[in-house]
Amino acid sequence: MTQHLAGPTTHAAETPGWWRDAVIYQVYPRSFADGDGDGMGDLPGIRARLPYLADLGVDAVWLSPFYASPQADAGYDVADYRAIDPMFGTLKDADDLIREAHDLGLRVITDLVPNHSSDRHEWFRRALREGPGSPLRERYHFRPGKGDKGEEPPNDWESIFGGPAWTRTTNPDGSPGEWYLHLFAPEQPDFNWDNEAVRDEFRSVLRFWLDMGVDGFRIDVAHGLVKAAGLPDMGHSGQLKMLGTQEMPFFDQDGVHEIYRSWRAILDEYPGQRIAVAEAWTPSAERTARYLRPGELHQAFNFHYLSTPWEAGALREVIDSSLDSVRPVGAPTTWVLSNHDVVRHLTRLGGDLGRARAATLLMLALPGSAYLYQGEELGLPEVTQLPDEVRQDPAFFRRAPDEDTDAGGQDGLRDGCRVPIPWTSEGTSYGFGTGGSWLPQPGEWAKLAVAAQIGDPGSTLVLYRTALSVRREQPALGAGDAVEWLDAPEGVLAFRRHGADGSTVLVLANTTGADVVLADELASPKTLLLASGPVPAAGDVLPADTTAWWTTHG
């Protein structure tokens, strides 16, 4: 049953182009805070912790899905886009959360899942009940199978979660029926975006949440809505290895842009600069930039940066290509190191906390908007030793027994970055809630809890708080669309950032495992703003795996 509340909430203070240099914090609702003690995070738990996020210094909160869902894929299988799943609370809880966030100066971005629904969505359930020829089947991709008796899938597409991207139905009379497309789990049938009813429905969903007062949407699988005409075969297997690197008939089709132009027109009708952010895995930064052309979306995640190794040459190349690709369309670049689908960056970069801290300061010094994933401000590592029996990632159960893991994520092991975060050093769930946690937390996380770090000037939490405060105070950080590269020793990134007020910040990042002696203008007199680790007061040596922000003299 769909729930309704009337009227938008009071909006946070309006700032021109607020998203262009915003720091946005991703909350994974299952794992942030549990308000009712059932071991699962929820909206009241998030609401109670909003002051923590305001104190951290972020500009907005992005909430992963909380819609009514059977939870076959942790809420990314939506049964009702206008209702809250009871495990997370009620629509009133969402309304209260949005209002309180705005009172604290935080904007709220909600996840939207338009590529597919749950197989429990009423449209899909009716399509199955009514059988072939039902108009509801035109809202999804139902096709007859190949072979003499239709026993083979309509094409050779593979699911992102492993196995074929097609599942065969059973007709109302019990006979084998048509097949339906699901690029993810079988419980997530893909919508047919050539159908006008689908387009109308999502325009209505946008307005529903905008009327509730949300400040924008993160669009899940934004590159996947439109499929190539005729659903042509790929011609080979191993398609997962091509994701984000090559053209594919089910991703990044030109037809998606017409959809987003219509969405942008709706967003622009509302006050407060509501935004849309694309999760778009594309073969190049230039293809990603197409989603950000005038009249389309405001931001897109920069997955090319996320997947770059901690190496100066590779980082400089991806920074340049990222900035160059979006400059012609006038959009800001985004930077991200971790999220709910990939291995936490501390572990991905080798498990060295100093290196992870350095990567964060480098990211926060770049022009554009930055995304943080819950718990990275605590220095949380990936949990790599979860027992099989507690895992819930649907891709895990579809992996072949001998399948290689992929450190980038979507490998069936995503539960490791979704373990509930620790708030205190005691209790059955380290302050997450009173009833344990849905995934087990490592014992060593007690010392990484918020309460353990909040008063420690050398802690990662304090580093993040300080970095966000300095970033906000320094006009040269975050804003703009370019960096001024400087000559630097091998393995060191050196650049200046210039503020509109004439201020300058010098950023130095040592990506090597050894101290580097600085010379010439890099060693000239300067005042330290912040460093990811201890640095000599003279500023003539940059320690291994360290990033420092300086103001220069003269």
Side-chain angles (χ1 to χ4, degrees):
M1 177 178 174
T2 301
Q3 308 168 63
H4 292 278
L5 286 182
T9 59
T10 301
H11 204 278
E14 295 186 15
T15 303
W18 68 269
W19 68 88
R20 301 190 70 88
D21 60 355
V23 177
I24 300 172
Y25 184 101
Q26 181 189 358
V27 166
Y28 192 67
R30 285 172 163 242
S31 303
F32 190 67
D34 174 15
D36 61 8
D38 67 353
M40 185 69 67
D42 49 40
L43 297 182
I46 297 169
R47 181 185 174 197
R49 298 292 187 178
L50 288 175
Y52 165 81
L53 297 179
D55 290 343
L56 184 62
V58 299
D59 299 291
V61 181
W62 153 34
L63 301 173
S64 291
F66 46 65
Y67 309 107
S69 166
Q71 304 294 320
D73 183 24
Y76 283 93
D77 51 317
V78 181
D80 188 339
Y81 290 86
R82 298 176 183 84
I84 306 298
D85 195 280
M87 70 186 293
F88 296 127
T90 66
L91 202 59
K92 184 180 184 305
D93 291 325
D95 187 71
D96 290 342
L97 188 157
I98 294 167
R99 291 176 184 273
E100 185 154 337
H102 289 166
D103 288 344
L104 291 168
L106 296 168
R107 298 178 188 262
V108 178
I109 295 170
T110 57
D111 228 310
L112 188 66
V113 188
N115 179 72
H116 48 262
S117 73
S118 166
D119 62 352
R120 306 287 182 87
H121 192 288
E122 183 58 25
W123 285 2
F124 192 77
R125 296 173 69 183
R126 282 183 54 196
L128 293 181
R129 287 197 306 267
E130 295 174 6
S134 167
L136 273 298
R137 293 202 171 198
E138 297 175 5
R139 301 179 186 184
Y140 295 91
H141 293 278
F142 282 86
R143 295 289 188 278
K146 293 181 178 178
D148 294 338
K149 299 181 178 179
E151 70 277 9
E152 298 177 8
N155 68 22
D156 63 1
W157 294 1
E158 296 172 352
S159 164
I160 307 304
F161 287 165
W166 295 89
T167 289
R168 196 171 193 184
T169 66
T170 299
N171 290 325
D173 64 4
S175 62
E178 296 176 317
W179 297 71
Y180 69 88
L181 176 68
H182 52 86
L183 290 181
F184 294 85
E187 296 87 354
Q188 296 168 289
D190 279 43
F191 283 117
N192 174 15
W193 275 86
D194 291 331
N195 185 279
E196 194 58 35
V198 174
R199 298 187 180 218
D200 286 344
E201 170 66 1
F202 275 90
R203 285 191 287 262
S204 173
V205 168
L206 288 175
R207 292 185 185 281
F208 177 88
W209 289 103
L210 290 168
D211 289 341
M212 281 276 290
V214 302
D215 300 281
F217 303 93
R218 177 263 191 186
I219 304 170
D220 184 61
V221 196
H223 54 302
L225 277 56
V226 174
K227 278 65 174 177
L231 309 184
D233 283 337
M234 284 286 295
H236 58 80
S237 60
Q239 296 162 23
L240 294 182
K241 299 186 186 333
M242 298 172 58
L243 291 180
T245 63
Q246 300 181 44
E247 293 183 10
M248 308 183 82
F250 45 81
F251 280 159
D252 194 31
Q253 299 294 302
D254 289 342
V256 299
H257 299 288
E258 177 188 351
I259 297 168
Y260 296 136
R261 284 191 290 272
S262 74
W263 288 15
R264 177 61 179 265
I266 293 173
L267 292 166
D268 288 349
E269 291 176 13
Y270 284 79
Q273 300 184 344
R274 318 295 177 96
I275 71 167
V277 184
E279 182 211 25
W281 293 87
T282 68
S284 68
E286 290 72 25
R287 289 293 298 184
T288 300
R290 289 169 57 84
Y291 292 76
L292 309 177
R293 290 174 294 190
E296 295 194 35
L297 305 179
H298 299 76
Q299 291 185 344
F301 288 112
N302 188 348
F303 294 118
H304 304 285
Y305 183 77
L306 181 149
S307 59
T308 302
W310 182 243
E311 191 274 314
L315 286 165
R316 177 166 176 170
E317 181 178 352
V318 75
I319 290 168
D320 281 342
S321 65
S322 298
L323 294 170
D324 291 346
S325 67
V326 297
R327 195 175 293 115
V329 297
T333 312
T334 65
W335 313 98
V336 61
L337 291 170
S338 292
N339 65 35
H340 66 292
D341 278 336
V342 302
V343 172
R344 286 187 175 275
H345 76 269
L346 186 154
T347 300
R348 196 175 68 249
L349 296 178
D352 182 89
L353 179 58
R355 181 177 298 169
R357 288 161 57 106
T360 295
L361 280 202
L362 172 60
M363 177 183 77
L364 291 175
L366 295 171
S369 179
Y371 282 77
L372 309 179
Y373 178 53
Q374 63 177 44
E376 71 171 80
E377 77 277 14
L378 305 178
L380 296 186
E382 186 81 359
V383 180
T384 59
Q385 301 300 318
L386 287 172
D388 289 356
E389 59 269 21
V390 305
R391 292 187 179 276
Q392 298 192 24
D393 184 351
F396 175 78
F397 302 100
R398 292 168 64 84
R399 295 172 67 247
D402 58 348
E403 184 177 340
D404 292 335
T405 61
D406 174 2
Q410 293 279 6
D411 54 9
L413 302 177
R414 294 176 298 165
D415 292 313
C417 65
R418 301 175 177 183
V419 175
I421 66 175
W423 293 92
T424 64
S425 299
E426 314 81 29
T428 59
S429 64
Y430 303 121
F432 170 67
T434 58
S437 64
W438 68 282
L439 285 174
Q441 301 152 301
E444 58 268 26
W445 277 20
K447 64 180 181 294
L448 299 178
V450 172
Q453 296 195 44
I454 204 162
D456 178 2
S459 71
T460 301
L461 174 57
V462 170
L463 175 69
Y464 271 71
R465 282 187 170 187
T466 306
L468 296 184
S469 176
V470 173
R471 190 179 195 268
R472 184 168 290 180
E473 294 167 356
Q474 293 289 330
L477 293 172
D481 64 358
V483 299
E484 178 192 351
W485 292 108
L486 304 173
D487 291 335
E490 184 175 355
V492 173
L493 290 170
F495 57 87
R496 287 196 187 99
R497 299 295 325 285
H498 301 285
D501 64 344
S503 62
T504 300
V505 173
L506 172 66
V507 179
L508 302 175
N510 181 0
T511 68
T512 75
D515 295 356
V516 172
V517 177
L518 304 174
D520 303 325
E521 62 179 322
L522 300 186
S524 61
K526 51 191 180 290
T527 300
L528 183 66
L529 285 170
L530 185 64
S532 60
V535 296
D540 56 348
V541 174
L542 188 62
D545 291 318
T546 298
T547 297
W549 300 347
W550 307 82
T551 56
T552 55
H553 304 287

